[in-house]
């Protein structure tokens, strides 16, 4: 978090089981579309690690604490 401006950033690492990689990719892709709609979400991006690793990274950047809190309450994301 940047104390000067109040932004919140996060990087999340997810490792999927080999048999679930395509399911996780599909889920994260759908989540990215929903998360990007939240007011104050500046970045919500998915990056896939090396091919075959089952590793994914989520990069999130929110304008401020209120935007982060709104994102946490996103019912559509929580349902997924």
């Amino acid at each position: 978090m940047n104390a000067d401006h109040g932004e919140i950033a996060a990087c999340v690492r997810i490792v999927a089981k080999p048999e679930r990689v395509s399911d996780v990719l599909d889920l994260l892709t759908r989540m990215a579309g929903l998360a990007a709609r939240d007011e104050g979400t500046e970045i919500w991006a998915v990056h896939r690690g090396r091919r075959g690793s089952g590793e994914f990274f989520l990069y999130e950047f929110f304008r401020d604490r209120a935007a982060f809190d709104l994102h946490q309450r996103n019912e559509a994301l929580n349902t997924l």
Side-chain angles (χ1 to χ4, degrees), residues 2-68:
N2 183 331
D4 295 333
H5 302 287
E7 297 102 340
I8 295 177
C11 177
V12 179
R13 179 177 175 256
I14 298 168
V15 179
K17 293 180 180 180
E19 66 272 13
R20 301 302 305 265
V21 169
S22 63
D23 294 333
V24 171
L25 178 59
D26 178 60
L27 175 65
L28 294 176
T29 300
R30 290 188 290 150
M31 290 177 75
L34 293 170
R37 297 179 194 164
D38 285 343
E39 178 68 28
T41 298
E42 303 294 331
I43 298 170
W44 206 96
V46 178
H47 173 77
R48 187 168 182 183
R50 288 172 281 142
R51 176 170 270 168
S53 71
E55 188 174 42
F56 297 89
F57 297 91
L58 303 180
Y59 299 99
E60 303 174 273
F61 186 78
F62 303 94
R63 178 180 54 220
D64 53 25
R65 171 56 80 173
F68 177 74

